Amino acid sequence: MYDYKCSICGCSLDPTEKCDCQMTHERNLQMVDDLLVEEADGQMKLKEAANYGTYPWLR
């Protein structure tokens, strides 16, 4: 049995397999940046709510 592990996340890998944990992490950070905006007081808010108001379909 092979003992290949990712040095970052510890995932067990096949001999020629490369871990995509760093790419997944970067993609997740990009999704957060796309969805959220930071207000002046440091509170995070959904960009959609900031642009259109909260629950616009209820008006």
Side-chain angles (χ1 to χ4, degrees):
M1 181 146 187
Y2 301 107
D3 192 27
Y4 297 101
K5 293 194 181 275
C6 174
S7 61
I8 298 168
C9 69
C11 166
S12 296
L13 302 170
D14 290 332
T16 59
E17 185 179 15
K18 294 187 181 191
C19 187
D20 64 348
C21 64
Q22 283 297 106
M23 184 175 54
T24 301
H25 178 70
E26 294 297 324
R27 188 173 54 234
N28 289 342
L29 288 177
Q30 183 62 41
M31 285 192 302
V32 167
D33 287 341
D34 292 343
L35 292 174
L36 299 176
V37 63
E38 186 175 354
E39 295 183 330
D41 61 355
Q43 181 71 32
M44 300 302 284
K45 188 175 187 181
L46 287 171
K47 283 185 181 179
E48 185 175 342
N51 293 338
Y52 302 111
T54 308
Y55 307 116
W57 59 86
L58 296 177
R59 294 182 190 164

